[in-house]
Amino acid sequence: MIINKKPFIQDYDLYVQYLATREKNAALQELRRQGAELFSRVGLPSKSSEDWRYTDMQFLNDHKFNVCMSTPRTELENMREYCTNRKYYSHDDINIVFVNGMFSSEFSDYLNKSISGLEVLTLQEYLKQEDGIQLDILRRNPFDHHFPFGALNQAMLHDGTIIKIRKGATIEPIIHIIHVTTISQPLRKNHCCEFQLQANADKKQNRFKVCSCDELITSPRTIIVAEDHAKAKVLESHFSLIPDIEYFSNAVTDISLQPRSELQYYKSQNESLKAYHVGLTRVWQEEESNFDSFSFMTGSALARNNIDLVTNGPRTRTTLNALYSVNGKQHVDNHTSIDHRHPSAESYQFYKGILNGSSRAVFNGRIIVRSEAQKTKSYQLNNNLVAGKHCRVDTKPQLEIFANDVKCSHGATSGQLNPDEIFYLQTRAIQKRDAIKMLSHGFADEILNKIPLQAVREKLRIFLTPSLLTI
Amino acid sequence: MIEIKDLHAEVNGNQILRGLNLTIGAGEVHAIMGPNGSGKSTLTKIIGGHPDYHVTRGEILYDINLKKRNIIDMDPEERAREGIFIAFQYPVEIPGVNASEFLRASFNEICHHQGAEEMDPLDFDDFLREKMKVLEMDDKYIHRSLNVDFSGGEKKRNEVLQMIILNPRFSVLDETDSGLDVDSMRVVANGVNRLRSKHNAMLVITHYQRLLNYIVPDFVHILEGGRIIKSGEKDLALAVEDKGYDWLKK
Ligand SMILES: Nc1ncnc2c1ncn2[C@@H]1O[C@H](COP(=O)(O)OP(=O)(O)O)[C@@H](O)[C@H]1O
Ligand SMILES: [Mg+2]
């Protein structure tokens, strides 16, 4: 197994053994086994695969990742401070919080806010329910070799979030799923993760031996189901309390929209600037459902974000908007795929990016219109503001259209700020530097302002401003 | 107020201005007329300090703190802070930059430079609405992105609104009348006229004489081939309207 052979996951066997001793139900163990098996077979993607042409993941082989099963007290105190003082975390929302990959009941408040029509469960809670014993919700859509990180997420799976919005319900507050990573360097060296302590004891080693925790891996897993006519807003956030720690966050979110349901789904990725983030969001849209999404990305040394959407019924409406802002040597790769399988679908994609320093961005937008999907309208646009001197943008539309009565368009631009715009602002007494900042913010606001929820816009702006600061 | 001497300027290797002389005193309004391509907008951009337009000879002397200063090496924002304002022929559209927030930032920059208090958002809002009334502008302009989806006439009105708010000492209006119907022109001219005082000066560039019925100039100059070929009083504009430019060329 690659997980073991090239041990980029440290002590994987011990980890799964440890989990097995704590879990009463074997369903998760079986899922992990399948995930590990598939991932070992496929391995980490390399540039030789078309889907990963611009984003080689082989470098992960040279890392050693660890799982954290308990977070040091001081880190929790930082989190407490963060939750009381920062606008990003708000008690107006329904919060489900994971710290270093572990569910945290302390910061989660969904249990205190019973809202009719909304069901929030952790995966562990779900397992205890009768309908959750077999984990059908996780089995329904197996991962395949196209995206090995899905299998890796499953190989690591121990908890997650399950959200169900019941038939006809409209959930007003934002459902905020937070994945925060916070292990500061000196602590990491002295802190032994629980399972490693146990593992060391098992190996009859010194219980107090300091384990060689290198970098954390977290495997966020989220499932959202909106039933018939249900309406909700979900924000999924990934960030770090420490700006420069290395870790690997490998997230998977599955979203199922039943007929006539509406979901506003925001994913905000602001990981540490030394982290790696791989995210897969899979969406199934039934008849007349509306998926309105926004991906916001400012973090990570390397980030890959896939959205795979399939329509399962006619007259669906899909919006995939995004803003990425990268700097330094950051690399951000977005792959979207919308598979129109039924007639009269509308899909809109507008991805905007700001590149500073010597950052890189990749956009690949796949649009499939099957022969049954007549009267599909599908539009795609990717605009990049290239502010840094040594940036690179690789953008590619990928249209596979098999129906004749469709309207599709795509476009991409990469360019610098318009000197006439800078000049115009200067003639209004605004300094050149400020003019550039104002225009970059304007470029971002054009897409951010499409977010209907002011509370979400304001949250995202908290992360945007520092990412533009060095201009 | 401003003294342009033997101004030569080029853009992208093309010599456009070829020895332009013009002196405008405080309290005066001058008009420049001239055929298309004669260099009117080039002069505007040179006065504003556009980085693509280069002065190859001559100087522009502008009164700053009772001293004449050659401004050609000053940054555009510095000139603006010293009270120079350009109403552009083709104002740019800037998506995502809110028209009123931008104008407040601009206003506060100038306040700051002059050592005055900055205005807080609420006070500025009142101030802005009052000025918008003068120009009979709809409230909606101010919530929109700067010039985005504005009609030609709305853009021009927005330029004049900025001028009224920033209260410059020296303004250049580059074909502010083009794109305005007669009613709009009267409103806009009224806004401009309110600014006229013995302390400031204006240069009104136009293609048509009719604007000058509303903003009555003290002097009229004809620009042709990059220099002023004739100067006179307001009846020169009427003569041009009547006979065109050809009779002026020698
Ligand atoms: N950015 C530019 N690059 C090249 N040529 C220019 C540029 N701007 C203006 N010109 C040229 O300069 C001349 C004068 O233009 P302009 O000043 O706009 O004239 P007017 O405003 O009087 O119509 C024209 O021949 C025009 O083509
Ligand atoms: Mg012109």
Side-chain angles (χ1 to χ4, degrees):
Chain A
M1 256 166 59
I2 282 189
I3 293 180
N4 281 335
K5 196 172 62 193
K6 255 216 153 173
F8 93 96
I9 307 291
Q10 183 136 313
D11 293 334
Y12 180 73
D13 286 342
L14 295 172
Y15 167 67
V16 290
Q17 276 168 29
Y18 170 76
L19 290 179
T21 60
R22 290 173 19 137
E23 289 165 2
K24 294 194 179 65
N25 181 316
L28 262 179
Q29 293 166 40
E30 177 57 19
L31 275 173
R32 278 194 294 268
R33 200 193 56 70
Q34 287 168 2
E37 198 267 325
L38 175 60
F39 184 73
S40 316
R41 198 147 36 81
V42 183
L44 289 164
S46 72
K47 279 189 171 168
S48 59
S49 128
E50 185 58 30
D51 257 3
W52 298 88
R53 220 174 115 192
Y54 300 109
T55 306
D56 193 331
M57 300 303 290
Q58 287 293 321
F59 73 94
L60 286 176
N61 275 322
D62 302 328
H63 287 255
K64 266 190 181 155
F65 294 105
N66 263 287
V67 186
C68 176
M69 300 301 287
S70 67
T71 294
R73 212 181 308 129
T74 45
E75 304 293 345
L76 290 175
E77 266 152 33
N78 289 343
M79 185 60 191
R80 249 163 245 144
E81 197 269 339
Y82 187 87
C83 291
T84 21
N85 297 324
R86 309 296 168 87
K87 279 188 242 142
Y88 201 76
Y89 179 93
S90 157
H91 282 294
D92 297 338
D93 307 333
I94 298 166
N95 296 290
I96 303 123
V97 181
F98 291 79
V99 180
N100 296 331
M102 293 287 294
F103 171 70
S104 162
S105 54
E106 176 180 354
F107 303 112
S108 302
D109 59 10
Y110 65 94
L111 284 174
N112 326 334
K113 294 179 177 168
S114 89
I115 289 178
S116 106
L118 174 67
E119 195 180 314
V120 178
L121 290 169
T122 64
L123 191 54
Q124 289 295 338
E125 286 164 347
Y126 178 67
L127 263 174
K128 290 179 196 137
Q129 288 195 340
E130 203 172 329
D131 67 335
I133 290 176
Q134 291 309 315
L135 289 172
D136 286 341
I137 213 167
L138 287 176
R139 282 175 196 287
R140 209 171 291 150
N141 304 294
F143 296 103
D144 62 23
H145 64 279
H146 290 297
F147 198 83
F149 291 100
L152 176 63
N153 177 282
Q154 187 171 313
M156 304 302 295
L157 190 64
H158 65 91
D159 212 342
T161 310
I162 296 173
I163 294 168
K164 288 186 193 165
I165 303 112
R166 292 300 184 195
K167 201 167 169 174
T170 297
I171 310 302
E172 279 307 330
I174 297 164
I175 304 164
H176 194 178
I177 307 162
I178 296 176
H179 292 279
V180 58
T181 307
T182 170
I183 292 276
S184 45
Q185 307 280 4
L187 265 172
R188 247 177 13 170
K189 291 280 179 259
N190 298 314
H191 179 72
C192 253
C193 303
E194 200 181 324
F195 86 88
Q196 276 158 336
L197 275 177
Q198 170 138 6
N200 289 340
D202 287 353
K203 284 195 270 183
K204 298 197 174 55
Q205 289 176 355
N206 181 354
R207 254 187 85 85
F208 300 101
K209 183 178 169 232
V210 174
C211 70
S212 58
C213 271
D214 286 313
E215 299 156 37
L216 277 186
I217 178 170
T218 62
S219 308
R221 184 80 168 97
T222 306
I223 291 169
I224 302 167
V225 179
E227 294 183 352
D228 230 298
H229 274 103
K231 289 184 188 162
K233 308 147 190 140
V234 174
L235 169 60
E236 180 186 322
S237 296
H238 300 261
F239 62 94
S240 171
L241 297 188
I242 304 157
D244 59 351
I245 49 172
E246 286 185 51
Y247 57 90
F248 176 26
S249 164
N250 178 36
V252 175
T253 299
D254 284 343
I255 298 172
S256 161
L257 300 186
Q258 290 176 8
R260 288 162 287 277
S261 60
E262 284 180 30
L263 182 72
Q264 289 175 34
Y265 169 73
Y266 306 98
K267 180 172 170 184
S268 171
Q269 183 276 105
N270 312 288
E271 307 277 21
S272 134
L273 293 174
K274 286 191 182 161
Y276 313 109
H277 179 97
V278 175
L280 169 65
T281 303
R282 301 187 294 180
V283 188
W284 292 269
Q285 272 193 267
E286 305 281 344
E287 176 176 353
E288 288 174 30
S289 60
N290 183 355
F291 181 63
D292 185 358
S293 79
F294 197 100
S295 305
F296 178 77
M297 292 149 272
T298 65
S300 300
L302 179 146
R304 165 74 176 236
N305 205 27
N306 270 50
I307 300 184
D308 283 352
L309 188 138
V310 174
T311 71
N312 279 332
R315 295 178 298 282
T316 51
R317 193 185 155 93
T318 305
T319 307
L320 309 182
N321 287 342
L323 174 67
Y324 44 90
S325 171
V326 280
N327 214 321
K329 286 187 161 39
Q330 280 180 283
H331 176 119
V332 60
D333 177 343
N334 280 285
H335 270 61
T336 64
S337 167
I338 304 182
D339 185 353
H340 304 86
R341 297 185 178 177
H342 292 267
S344 304
E346 284 178 32
S347 67
Y348 304 89
Q349 296 183 66
F350 191 7
Y351 272 62
K352 292 193 86 171
I354 302 174
L355 289 90
N356 276 286
S358 51
S359 54
R360 275 192 72 171
V362 180
F363 175 76
N364 190 100
R366 187 171 180 215
I367 295 174
I368 306 162
V369 182
R370 307 217 178 201
S371 55
E372 304 79 27
Q374 296 295 357
K375 303 229 178 303
T376 293
K377 288 185 197 162
S378 184
Y379 305 99
Q380 181 189 90
L381 196 57
N382 173 223
N383 291 345
N384 295 283
L385 170 57
V386 182
K389 280 207 176 71
H390 308 284
C391 300
R392 177 171 163 178
V393 176
D394 294 283
T395 174
K396 191 175 123 209
Q398 194 182 336
L399 271 57
E400 296 162 30
I401 296 172
F402 304 100
N404 46 26
D405 184 13
V406 299
K407 280 189 188 145
C408 287
S409 75
H410 63 86
T413 62
S414 292
Q416 294 166 344
L417 286 174
N418 178 347
D420 284 331
E421 294 179 13
I422 299 174
F423 173 64
Y424 185 87
L425 296 182
Q426 283 181 285
T427 64
R428 302 307 187 240
I430 292 164
Q431 247 186 60
K432 187 168 184 183
R433 262 179 59 96
D434 294 336
I436 290 172
K437 235 181 243 176
M438 207 180 257
L439 292 170
S440 305
H441 272 284
F443 182 87
D445 279 348
E446 190 196 12
I447 188 83
L448 278 176
N449 286 341
K450 291 192 190 287
I451 295 176
L453 287 175
Q454 192 188 349
V456 172
R457 286 198 302 269
E458 280 172 7
K459 281 187 187 358
L460 302 188
R461 286 208 175 94
I462 294 173
F463 288 107
L464 180 64
T465 307
S467 97
L468 293 178
L469 257 187
T470 55
I471 291 180
Chain B
M1 177 78 68
I2 193 157
E3 217 174 303
I4 300 173
K5 287 184 175 166
D6 192 30
L7 189 66
H8 288 67
E10 55 123 58
V11 53
N12 290 326
N14 304 326
Q15 194 70 38
I16 312 292
L17 301 184
R18 304 157 194 270
L20 187 145
N21 291 291
L22 183 64
T23 302
I24 302 176
E28 295 174 359
V29 172
H30 290 230
I32 287 189
M33 299 180 77
N36 270 331
S38 57
K40 302 185 297 295
S41 294
T42 300
L43 174 63
T44 306
K45 284 172 186 159
I46 288 285
I47 294 172
H50 194 294
D52 291 349
Y53 293 73
H54 305 288
V55 173
T56 50
R57 203 196 309 167
E59 52 188 7
I60 302 176
L61 301 175
Y62 177 64
D63 293 348
I64 298 176
N65 298 331
L66 307 172
K67 284 202 191 88
K68 287 192 193 310
R69 217 180 123 184
N70 188 357
I71 60 167
I72 60 170
D73 290 326
M74 280 166 69
D75 287 334
E77 59 266 38
E78 259 186 280
R79 303 181 196 199
R81 286 169 193 178
E82 295 299 346
I84 294 178
F85 181 88
I86 314 286
F88 287 97
Q89 182 177 4
Y90 302 111
V92 293
E93 297 182 8
I94 310 190
V97 172
N98 173 277
S100 63
E101 282 170 29
F102 146 75
L103 193 46
R104 185 163 59 89
S106 172
F107 179 81
N108 282 336
E109 283 294 347
I110 290 173
C111 287
H112 184 77
H113 180 76
Q114 297 175 347
E117 284 265 327
E118 293 188 1
M119 223 188 255
D120 73 44
L122 286 177
D123 290 342
F124 185 77
D125 203 55
D126 292 342
F127 176 57
L128 182 58
R129 275 169 208 282
E130 180 197 313
K131 302 296 181 193
M132 284 171 72
K133 258 193 220 124
V134 173
L135 291 172
E136 297 177 15
M137 287 174 78
D138 197 312
D139 274 5
K140 69 174 192 249
Y141 297 144
I142 233 58
H143 301 294
R144 298 213 304 233
S145 285
L146 189 54
N147 290 327
V148 176
D149 299 327
F150 284 28
S151 72
E154 286 169 348
K155 283 180 191 164
K156 295 302 179 66
R157 245 178 236 232
N158 191 36
E159 292 290 286
V160 175
L161 175 70
Q162 295 175 31
M163 172 176 162
I164 296 178
I165 295 271
L166 301 178
N167 192 17
R169 274 198 297 138
F170 177 59
S171 318
V172 183
L173 293 101
D174 190 3
E175 297 207 26
T176 299
D177 51 335
S178 60
L180 293 181
D181 57 40
V182 179
D183 288 337
S184 311
M185 198 191 306
R186 218 182 32 235
V187 172
V188 165
N190 174 43
V192 171
N193 286 332
R194 281 172 161 230
L195 271 189
R196 286 177 80 157
S197 83
K198 61 179 193 291
H199 304 294
N200 57 29
M202 288 179 202
L203 179 60
V204 180
I205 292 171
T206 182
H207 214 59
Y208 305 101
Q209 183 274 335
R210 63 177 189 174
L211 175 70
L212 304 180
N213 290 335
Y214 299 100
I215 305 174
V216 181
D218 302 301
F219 300 95
V220 175
H221 311 274
I222 309 300
L223 182 65
E224 159 69 31
R227 63 168 77 93
I228 304 245
I229 55 165
K230 188 158 182 73
S231 297
E233 295 191 8
K234 64 177 188 259
D235 28 320
L236 177 58
L238 285 168
V240 166
E241 180 88 344
D242 218 26
K243 301 192 259 181
Y245 293 105
D246 285 347
W247 63 282
L248 292 165
K249 295 180 198 167
K250 305 260 157 66

